[in-house]
Amino acid sequence: MALAGIRVIELAGLAPAPFCGMILADFGASVIRVDRTKAAMALDTQARGKRSVALNLKTPEGVGILKKLCVQSDVVLEPYRKGVMEKLGLGPEKLLKENPGLIYARLTGYGQSGPYATAAGHDINYLAMSGLLSRLGRHGDKPYSPLNLVADFAGGGLTCAFGIVLALLERTRSGQGQVIDASMVEGAAYVGSFIWKSRAIGMWERGRGQNMLDSGAPFYDTYRTADGKHVAVGAIEPQFYLQLLRGLGLDATDLPPQMSPDGWPELRRVFEGCFATKTQAEWSQIFDGTDACVTPVLSFDQVSSHPHNKERGSFVRDPGEEESPRPAPVLSRTPADPCLDRDPRIGQHTREVLEEYGFKSHDVERLLAAGAIEHNVPEAKL
Ligand SMILES: CCCCCCCCCCCC[C@H](C)C(=O)SCCNC(=O)CCNC(=O)[C@H](O)C(C)(C)COP(=O)(O)OP(=O)(O)OC[C@H]1O[C@@H](n2cnc3c(N)ncnc32)[C@H](O)[C@@H]1OP(=O)(O)O
């Protein structure tokens, strides 16, 4: 796999850093998640392919172990509030001095500088600060946050993983590591570059929810079908729009012009009436194989059995029969090979990892007895 041989230390976080770590693990990196001792439960639902060590960073021994793990690794990924790592004596200056090749990725909401740098926050706050949230939502309604996808995952975890891969690539030339300051505000805004830059061509002149791509246009929206399900319509170009009308049994000459916002309320009423007359499956039969850009809005239950996704194997099943998306994109020679084992328990690999990083087994016993580390044996499987 593309990242085989890369050693990553991921300090356990809430959602964006775990996703970043999972991407690296899916593509072959050895990812060790550093968990707290005495944790009631693992909150990391994106632990695929990772190993877990449990360290108590409130003890000098725990901090010493983390330092040893970091200086022998390629990447450290930390999701804490600005200043937490420095307080532990594990700031980038110190670690890069000991390991000049280290890539030190800091994934935060507001970045490492500025008046908000130390403030608590979550996806919705970062999205708000990126400017994008002000553009999301239906006409007449307040701004709407589309799950925690944009800041936490697209602008956060994924962007940070991209930064790590760039730094790894650059290190092959310079031999040097570097610090990555991944701010989710900036990552989200960057992901939204199209929105920012397409203002110049007048794409966002109208208010929220009144433009072509923000649910303003009837040819770019979802519609309820006779069985209470939905279809998604994305028929922008005139030739595709004509196919949409054909499938709906409508004649363009009886309707307001496609690109005239004044006629959009009337057009939407007509489309709503049409889509409500058939089930989702019936619409799929009509539109599949055409360029009308109409697709079913699939539920999680439907998604993996849809013939397209099924043929490509777009979803994988873990041994607990839970489905999840397979890693993307697909590389032709070195594709990701997601680990299908159950997620690690907190501290499941403490002993194994510490010995791998040069600790003697009697040291491990001493650290266990001192409460600086925890080792949890997985429950036996039948
Ligand atoms: C009942 C509650 C249930 C909660 C269920 C949660 C279910 C999951 C849901 C996921 C929701 C996802 C949401 C929508 C998100 O947006 S997640 C994104 C959150 N934001 C970020 O990640 C940005 C960067 N991080 C941060 O800003 C902050 O970490 C935070 C998220 C606001 C949390 O702040 P806070 O809890 O005060 O932690 P921090 O200031 O970072 O300090 C961490 C302290 O913990 C310590 N620590 C760390 N590891 C260990 C360890 N192994 N052993 C012992 N201690 C440990 C650190 O040393 C630090 O301690 P101290 O410096 O405070 O003394």
Side-chain angles (χ1 to χ4, degrees), residues 120 173 228 312 366:
R173 295 192 292 268
R312 283 183 59 82
R366 183 180 51 77

Side-chain angles (χ1 to χ4, degrees), residues 68-87:
K68 207 163 165 182
L69 297 182
C70 292
V71 298
Q72 292 180 66
S73 294
D74 300 284
V75 178
V76 57
L77 168 59
E78 68 101 352
Y80 302 136
R81 208 191 291 252
K82 172 183 155 65
V84 167
M85 288 296 270
E86 281 79 357
K87 255 195 285 174

